[in-house]
């Protein structure tokens, strides 16, 4: 994305082709570059430094100073004239110097006149090489003078060196245009339908009708046993979603509350519902590392008894449901809890993944955790903590091919979320937002606003392969956020979901072939039906629209 001129032209023509804007976009192009490896020399700054470069040139009236402070506040940048409601993307290369530690979690913090933004980016920096920190922030109010500084996240004194800083502002409109560019290029594809007679002659003036019958991108929600026998809930759900996950009904405490007394009846009924409606479903979860949600009888086991119980859990669950669930969250929230590894040793997780893969080799196995994209203040689940844990497991032979990010947000930091997704994308594994919701500490209208922001971020990131909401319906109230009331009338968050579902599908298309016997359009990826009519002759066809750079060509013969 460094060739900004070419990309600007591409954005312009693609947006024009989709009738999205009618003017030339000359704003900044989002740079998704990220690095996970530690390098001998830092790379050049993104956006050529952005405001930092502009400050040196005094082109925007923004002054930049570098202060040499003491201890873990070294160095720091003083920024003048930061605006409200502007999305600032920040990146820098970091190295630690001196001391006894070979690595340290370094946190970037922004302090304005009236607020401290505790963490706008973090990196596990090392001694002797440079590590890449990427993040960002949005201010609640304008700031005359702010200080951006770095410190060891565990508050111990350490010398920090930085290089190639970059701070690039985006207006909300610019951010939206960049999102839409990715959607148009990664979630959609050009299609040309050719109509010909039996001799192959192209027919001008043939009528074309195109209907999208299914979507390629999985977008769904958690469901609970409350959906069983509840026809209004079922109808509401099926009308919208093509993916599901059981909220609690597959968890160990639900399927075996007492040792040896297995009960899959509720899960079986829920599975019948999703099967009948051709809905894909994630398996959540095999084990949960938090002892609070581990069956009481399991907590009391040790040694060979616990190992035997673990083996039986995997065997019974995976043999019963082999081929039914597209994913399994194997050992849930292992960045925050380690019940099984404490009891069974450091290779317990390896055993879980190995056995699960052998039991259902076609299911994608996920590492699933919270506070990875929601914040960078949780030292247990920073992006580098996630990557380090994943690599540790891979090094000992764990077969894992999915990155699960829960996404329980309060007020989302969008540039930070995007930066973390960029960094995880370098691993080349499918990324899913697995449990998206907005905290119930906010009112329903604020929930809706922030939900839309999060969903747009997820859908417009090319490495996100699916989105699941954590909004299973309960009459007494959902976990954090409901989409409907008890009569299945949309709440504000439900209206947002409906709006985006409509926006992210190809509306029925009616057109006429041109002088070349062709008709072209851009469509969202998925399955389509097409009807061609010429005079009294008609023909029907179907086609799949999968990802690709080239135009998808389809010929219909009458």
């Amino acid at each position: 994305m460094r060739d900004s001129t070419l990309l600007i032209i591409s954005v312009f023509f693609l947006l024009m082709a989709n009738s999205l804007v009618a003017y030339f976009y000359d704003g900044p192009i989002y740079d998704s570059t990220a690095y996970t490896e530690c390098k001998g020399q830092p790379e050049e700054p993104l956006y050529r430094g952005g405001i930092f470069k502009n400050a040196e040139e005094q082109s925007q009236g923004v002054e930049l100073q570098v202060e040499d402070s003491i201890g873990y506040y070294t160095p720091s940048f003083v920024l003048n004239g930061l605006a409200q409601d502007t999305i600032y993307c920040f990146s820098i290369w970091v190295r630690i110097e001196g001391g006894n530690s070979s690595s340290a979690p370094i946190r970037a913090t922004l302090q304005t006149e009236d607020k401290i933004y505790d963490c706008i980016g973090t990196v596990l920096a090392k001694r002797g090489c440079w590590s890449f920190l990427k993040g960002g922030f949005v201010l609640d109010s304008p700031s005359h003078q702010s200080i951006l500084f770095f410190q060891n996240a565990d508050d111990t004194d350490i010398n920090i060196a930085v290089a190639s800083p970059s701070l690039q502002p985006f207006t909300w409109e610019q951010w939206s245009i960049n999102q839409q560019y990715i959607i148009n290029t990664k979630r959609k594809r050009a299609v040309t339908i050719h109509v010909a007679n039996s001799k192959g002659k192209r027919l001008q003036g043939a009528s074309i009708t195109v209907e999208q019958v299914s979507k390629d991108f999985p977008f769904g929600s958690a469901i609970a046993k409350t959906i069983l026998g509840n026809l209004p809930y079922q109808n509401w759900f099926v009308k919208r979603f093509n993916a599901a996950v059981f909220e609690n009904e597959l968890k160990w405490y639900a399927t075996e509350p007492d040792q040896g007394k297995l009960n899959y009846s509720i899960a079986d009924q829920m599975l019948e519902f999703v099967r009948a409606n051709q809905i894909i479903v994630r398996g959540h979860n095999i084990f949960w590392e938090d002892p609070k949600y581990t069956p009481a009888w399991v907590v009391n086991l040790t040694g060979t008894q616990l190992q035997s119980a673990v083996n039986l859990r995997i065997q019974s669950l995976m043999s019963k449901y082999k081929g039914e669930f597209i994913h399994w969250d194997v050992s849930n929230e292992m960045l925050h809890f380690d019940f099984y590894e404490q009891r069974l040793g450091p290779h317990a997780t390896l055993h879980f993944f190995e056995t699960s893969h052998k039991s259902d080799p076609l299911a994608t196995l996920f590492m699933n955790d919270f506070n990875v994209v929601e914040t960078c203040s949780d030292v247990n689940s920073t992006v580098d903590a996630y990557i380090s844990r994943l690599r540790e497991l891979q090094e000992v032979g764990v077969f894992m091919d999915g990155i699960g990010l829960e996404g329980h947000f309060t007020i989302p930091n969008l540039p930070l979320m995007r930066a973390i997704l960029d960094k995880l994308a370098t691993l080349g594994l499918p990324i899913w937002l697995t449990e998206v919701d907005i905290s119930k500490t906010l009112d329903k209208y604020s929930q809706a606003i922030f939900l839309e922001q999060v969903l747009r971020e997820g859908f417009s990131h090319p490495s996100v392969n699916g989105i699941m909401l954590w909004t299973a319906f309960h009459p007494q109230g959902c976990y954090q956020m409901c989409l409907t009331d008890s009569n299945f009338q949309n709440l504000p968050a439900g209206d947002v979901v409906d709006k985006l579902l409509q926006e992210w599908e190809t509306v029925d298309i009616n057109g006429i072939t041109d002088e070349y016997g062709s008709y072209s359009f851009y469509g969202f990826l998925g399955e389509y039906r097409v009807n061609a009519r010429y005079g009294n002759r008609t023909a029907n066809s179907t086609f799949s629209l999968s990802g690709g750079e080239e135009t998808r060509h389809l010929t219909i013969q009458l």
Side-chain angles (χ1 to χ4, degrees), residues 75-286:
S76 57
F77 298 98
V78 176
L79 303 170
N80 295 327
L82 296 181
Q84 182 182 6
D85 288 333
T86 296
I87 295 172
Y88 289 95
C89 293
F90 174 69
S91 62
I92 198 165
W93 289 84
V94 181
R95 184 180 68 190
I96 60 173
E97 298 178 340
N100 298 320
S101 299
S102 60
S103 64
I106 304 302
R107 177 184 298 172
T109 298
L110 182 75
Q111 183 171 352
T112 67
E113 294 91 340
D114 54 8
K115 184 173 181 178
I116 295 178
Y117 298 81
D118 181 53
C119 189
I120 65 166
T122 187
V123 69
L124 184 63
K126 297 180 181 179
R127 184 152 35 104
C129 61
W130 294 90
S131 300
F132 186 63
L133 183 155
K134 192 176 190 184
F137 57 90
V138 179
L139 297 184
D140 297 334
S141 58
S143 172
H144 176 68
Q145 187 174 82
S146 305
I147 181 169
L148 193 161
F149 59 89
F150 306 85
Q151 61 189 109
N152 193 345
D154 63 13
D155 291 331
T156 58
D157 194 355
I158 197 167
N159 292 324
I160 301 168
V162 297
S164 298
S166 174
L167 185 64
Q168 178 61 50
F170 291 82
T171 67
W172 283 94
E173 182 181 27
Q174 291 168 341
W175 193 258
S176 178
I177 290 173
N178 277 272
Q179 287 179 328
Q180 195 62 52
Y181 169 74
I182 298 298
I183 291 172
N184 287 340
T185 54
K186 300 300 182 182
R187 306 298 183 198
K188 301 177 79 173
R189 187 174 172 185
V191 180
T192 295
I193 298 172
H194 308 282
V195 180
N197 63 18
S198 59
K199 295 181 180 180
K201 180 183 177 182
R202 296 284 176 84
L203 301 175
Q204 179 181 359
S207 298
I208 299 291
T209 302
V210 181
E211 176 192 5
Q212 185 176 15
V213 295
S214 68
K215 300 176 182 179
D216 184 60
F217 188 86
F219 186 85
S221 172
I223 56 174
K225 61 184 178 182
T226 52
I227 205 166
L228 299 176
N230 190 334
L231 190 59
Y233 185 12
Q234 293 177 4
N235 291 338
W236 184 91
F237 190 91
V238 170
K239 182 180 178 182
R240 289 160 175 80
F241 299 123
N242 61 0
V245 59
F246 300 170
E247 185 180 40
N248 298 313
E249 289 77 6
L250 274 177
K251 293 170 182 172
W252 199 355
Y253 65 74
T255 61
E256 193 178 4
D258 299 307
Q259 188 171 9
K261 297 181 180 179
L262 294 170
N263 186 349
Y264 293 109
S265 60
I266 299 297
D268 286 345
Q269 293 175 61
M270 294 172 69
L271 190 58
E272 285 179 13
F273 163 72
V274 297
R275 275 195 204 127
N277 291 283
Q278 299 178 316
I279 294 170
I280 60 172
V281 60
R282 302 189 73 248
H284 177 79
N285 51 57
I286 302 176

Side-chain angles (χ1 to χ4, degrees), residues 330-442:
V330 177
S331 191
N332 200 45
E333 298 178 354
M334 66 174 72
L335 294 178
H336 289 90
F337 309 101
D338 59 353
F339 169 79
Y340 293 100
E341 295 204 344
Q342 281 190 10
R343 299 291 183 94
L344 298 174
H347 296 301
T349 303
L350 170 63
H351 171 69
F352 295 165
F353 276 91
E354 281 182 334
T355 309
S356 300
H357 177 60
K358 290 176 183 177
S359 301
D360 194 350
L362 296 183
T364 305
L365 305 183
F366 273 71
M367 180 173 155
N368 191 55
D369 224 305
F370 63 93
N371 278 355
V372 183
V373 291
E374 299 96 316
T375 179
C376 61
S377 298
D378 187 340
V379 295
N380 293 310
S381 53
T382 63
V383 60
D384 284 325
Y386 192 107
I387 291 170
S388 296
R389 182 63 168 141
L390 187 148
R391 285 177 169 164
E392 286 173 6
L393 293 170
Q394 289 177 330
E395 286 171 1
V396 296
V398 165
F399 185 93
M400 181 193 307
D401 43 19
I403 293 172
L405 309 172
E406 292 185 13
H408 297 293
F409 291 88
T410 304
I411 299 177
N413 180 343
L414 301 184
L416 176 65
M417 176 183 175
R418 177 139 307 237
I420 290 168
L421 290 173
D422 289 344
K423 202 164 187 180
L424 290 170
T426 64
L427 303 177
L429 298 175
I431 299 171
W432 279 59
L433 303 181
T434 57
E435 303 180 18
V436 175
D437 61 17
I438 306 297
S439 172
K440 61 185 177 183
T441 60
L442 303 177

Side-chain angles (χ1 to χ4, degrees), residues 252 287 304-318 344 348 351-352 355 359:
W252 199 355
F287 298 106
T304 56
Q305 289 181 324
L306 179 58
Q307 188 65 64
S308 177
V310 161
N311 293 342
L312 288 172
R313 163 67 173 171
I314 299 176
Q315 179 184 358
S316 64
L317 187 68
M318 303 298 282
L344 298 174
H351 171 69
F352 295 165
T355 309
S359 301

